[in-house]
Amino acid sequence: MSESAFTDEELTGWDKCKSIFNPRSLKGRPTPEQQALIKQRKAADKQLFKNIRNRVAADIAALGEAVSEEDIPRAKQLKDLVSKSDKALTKELNAGLERHLQKQREALLQPPRGTRDWLPADMRFRNFLFGNFREVALAHGFEEYDAPVLESQHLYKRKAGEEIVDQMYAFKEKDGFDVTLRPEMTPSLARMVLRRQNSVTGEIKEVLPLKWFSIPQCWRHETVQRGRKREHYQWNMDIVGCEGITAELELLSAITTFFARLGITSEDVQIQVNSRRVLNSICSSYGVPDEKFAPVCVILDKIDKIGDAAVKADLVKEPLTIPEATVDKMLNALKAPSVEALVAQLGEDATEEMKAACAEMAELFEYAESYGFRSYLQFNASVVRGLAYYTGIVFECFAAEKYSLRAVCGGGRYDGLLTLYGSPTTVPCVGFGFGDCVIKELLEEMGKMPSTAPRVDFVVAAFDKSMFGPSLQVCACLF
């Protein structure tokens, strides 16, 4: 009989019946106390059997006379169950309870859904990965920082709206404050920078630019899937206080240096680069109002997942109601293969802002050539990064189509974020996030996982008890 023969409530009830009295524990004639327990056990068993048969009868009635082909096994199981004697039912309940308890034991030994245990071999990989994150960041002149994993909900509501709470491990602490396990690190970075800022003049009490990195554990209460868990570690690198594209250049250098260290080439991944300024100019050139730019970006950001037709349908319907001809022109512009091709395609519709943004992009690609990682970069006008606070160059790294994974990391310029948190002046910022889950999956698929076998550098052996003391002296020299 399958595990679905009894409900969890019935199996729990049977466990309670068995706890009243076990007949096998009897040795000789039962005492008056045991007789009372036996009577109580029989009454409990009788009531449970009655409830089970009533429930089964109701289930059979619900299936009806014309049982579908897929319900035939279930109907047969129910009819077999309802006809069983008390003794046979007891046997089935015992077997069902054993399976139920085994399932509970197995569940108890598993970490919560979407989280991971880190056994020693797993820790060796994590240390390898984090070591490369850390060494690349330090080599590029960044300083490491950290923040509490527990943050105020207000930080994330201010950035993403009230709906973000549904995606967080949010709760009210004992003092009554609304807190959450951090879903990302950028708001914590903004908070820490603003603590070093003069709230009147906007002056930051640090030597700019700040070049900070961290590898925080982040938590999101969302659907678990391959490459995405409810907890993950994320390599964050951010530059605060630099307006020029040299900041983006430095971050892209860090990402590509990391790839090169792990043997991941430009044949394996591509970093697709665009600019929100370019996208804003495209929208403006075709008559999209400024107030609709942010929601348009959110929809365009889905183009890789849902396709042109679905994106077009979302843009032409309410509340955006973008004219169909305008949407067609926008989608056509997003397919331009290069910065130069985009400017040429827009022709007279290309505004001065568009030309300036494209010139900035071309300069970034030129510098990347000199830096030695141009082969990793590809212009893609459809890369949007849906978050509204991005203001300039944005980028997303994707694995090649030959791999089953896609997005690896992403980032961009977010000059307006600190203003959102109360900065009296605009503070230029740019950064990226690089999760640990997807890169592990990619390395496994590429067959480039590092060895996680334990390593022993020295073995000191005492051949007999008299040599144990001297062997300890040798060990002490090795520490």
Side-chain angles (χ1 to χ4, degrees):
M1 183 168 292
S2 73
E3 292 183 31
S4 60
F6 303 104
T7 67
D8 287 350
E9 185 179 359
E10 288 165 353
L11 292 172
T12 302
W14 181 240
D15 196 26
K16 289 180 179 178
C17 288
K18 294 182 71 173
S19 68
I20 295 172
F21 184 76
N22 182 5
R24 293 182 180 180
S25 66
L26 271 178
K27 294 180 181 179
R29 294 175 62 84
T31 65
E33 292 80 5
Q34 290 175 329
Q35 288 178 346
L37 291 173
I38 291 170
K39 184 178 179 180
Q40 183 183 349
R41 168 69 190 273
K42 286 181 177 179
D45 288 358
K46 184 178 180 180
Q47 183 62 51
L48 179 62
F49 295 161
K50 180 182 178 181
N51 293 342
I52 290 173
R53 291 187 174 104
N54 288 341
R55 190 267 304 170
V56 171
D59 288 350
I60 292 172
L63 287 174
E65 293 294 330
V67 180
S68 65
E69 187 173 343
E70 63 182 51
D71 285 334
I72 289 175
R74 173 65 174 165
K76 183 178 183 304
Q77 180 191 59
L78 292 172
K79 288 178 181 177
D80 287 347
L81 185 63
V82 80
S83 64
K84 286 186 180 295
S85 65
D86 287 357
K87 185 176 180 180
L89 196 58
T90 297
K91 184 178 179 181
E92 294 292 350
L93 279 167
N94 283 332
L97 179 60
E98 180 57 33
R99 290 193 296 267
H100 179 68
L101 294 176
Q102 179 61 28
K103 191 174 179 180
Q104 285 186 332
R105 282 193 291 270
E106 290 173 358
L108 182 66
L109 298 179
Q110 295 297 320
R113 180 168 168 77
T115 66
R116 297 165 288 179
D117 288 325
W118 295 91
L119 298 174
D122 302 315
M123 283 301 299
R124 284 189 283 274
F125 170 76
R126 194 174 93 179
N127 291 337
F128 161 82
L129 186 66
F130 288 12
N132 277 281
F133 285 158
R134 192 166 278 114
E135 288 172 16
V136 168
L138 293 173
H140 283 75
F142 282 69
E143 298 179 286
E144 188 167 9
Y145 75 100
D146 201 359
V149 70
L150 194 67
E151 281 282 14
S152 166
Q153 290 182 29
H154 177 70
L155 272 181
Y156 305 96
K157 292 177 184 177
R158 178 73 69 92
K159 178 186 171 199
E162 292 285 340
E163 60 273 12
I164 190 65
V165 175
D166 294 334
Q167 303 170 31
M168 301 191 304
Y169 283 90
F171 57 96
K172 193 180 290 291
E173 66 172 357
K174 292 181 179 180
D175 293 336
F177 294 104
D178 291 330
V179 295
T180 181
L181 297 180
R182 64 177 170 226
E184 58 168 318
M185 194 64 163
T186 307
S188 297
L189 171 76
R191 176 180 62 74
M192 294 168 73
V193 171
L194 287 174
R195 288 187 63 195
R196 305 296 298 152
Q197 184 188 55
N198 185 306
S199 60
V200 177
T201 65
E203 180 185 0
I204 296 175
K205 304 166 188 175
E206 298 279 353
V207 177
L208 299 180
L210 302 179
K211 297 171 68 176
W212 289 1
F213 83 95
S214 62
I215 312 173
Q217 187 182 36
C218 300
W219 296 80
R220 280 186 179 269
H221 194 273
E222 56 187 8
T223 303
V224 179
Q225 52 187 288
R226 188 183 176 200
R228 175 173 292 186
K229 301 186 182 298
R230 288 178 174 171
E231 62 84 18
H232 70 283
Y233 288 89
Q234 182 167 287
W235 179 32
N236 282 24
M237 290 182 66
D238 294 87
I239 298 177
V240 177
C242 180
E243 295 181 355
I245 59 167
T246 53
E248 286 89 337
L249 188 73
E250 199 74 357
L251 295 176
L252 291 169
S253 171
I255 294 171
T256 54
T257 299
F258 171 80
F259 285 143
R261 288 170 68 112
L262 271 60
I264 301 173
T265 71
S266 57
E267 297 293 320
D268 301 310
V269 294
Q270 279 284 296
I271 302 175
Q272 299 183 4
V273 185
N274 191 21
S275 172
R276 291 293 279 262
R277 292 174 62 196
V278 169
L279 188 61
N280 196 2
S281 297
I282 291 173
C283 292
S284 297
S285 298
Y286 294 134
V288 176
D290 289 344
E291 64 270 16
K292 292 186 178 181
F293 175 64
V296 165
C297 283
V298 172
I299 294 173
L300 291 176
D301 191 43
K302 303 175 184 176
I303 197 167
D304 191 47
K305 297 178 181 177
I306 64 176
D308 289 10
V311 165
K312 181 177 178 179
D314 286 344
L315 290 174
V316 299
K317 71 181 182 182
E318 292 185 352
L320 293 175
T321 60
I322 308 296
E324 190 170 333
T326 299
V327 174
D328 289 337
K329 289 180 181 178
M330 288 168 55
L331 293 176
N332 190 43
L334 296 183
K335 291 179 172 59
S338 67
V339 176
E340 295 76 16
L342 177 60
V343 175
Q345 182 176 321
L346 288 173
E348 294 181 357
D349 289 328
T351 63
E352 291 304 314
E353 170 67 10
M354 162 67 80
K355 292 176 182 177
C358 287
E360 182 183 61
M361 294 271 291
E363 189 177 22
L364 176 68
F365 288 121
E366 181 184 340
Y367 287 156
E369 186 73 48
S370 300
Y371 223 152
F373 61 83
R374 174 65 180 84
S375 62
Y376 281 97
L377 305 187
Q378 178 184 22
F379 172 71
N380 185 344
S382 68
V383 169
V384 178
R385 302 290 289 169
L387 296 174
Y389 66 81
Y390 283 115
T391 57
I393 288 175
V394 290
F395 51 87
E396 285 195 76
C397 179
F398 294 95
E401 291 185 359
K402 59 186 175 182
Y403 302 115
S404 59
L405 293 156
R406 290 294 286 149
V408 179
C409 66
R413 180 166 287 276
Y414 54 97
D415 290 349
L417 183 62
L418 268 65
T419 306
L420 188 65
Y421 286 120
S423 172
T425 58
T426 298
V427 181
C429 301
V430 60
F432 72 78
F434 193 127
D436 71 316
C437 298
V438 173
I439 190 63
K440 181 176 184 289
E441 298 271 2
L442 180 59
L443 289 172
E444 287 176 336
E445 197 166 339
M446 293 176 64
K448 292 193 175 182
M449 281 287 286
S451 172
T452 56
R455 192 185 76 178
V456 178
D457 294 322
F458 302 98
V459 175
V460 179
F463 289 101
D464 58 41
K465 189 172 182 180
S466 67
M467 296 183 68
F468 187 70
S471 70
L472 296 180
Q473 293 175 339
V474 174
C475 288
C477 295
L478 298 175
F479 295 149

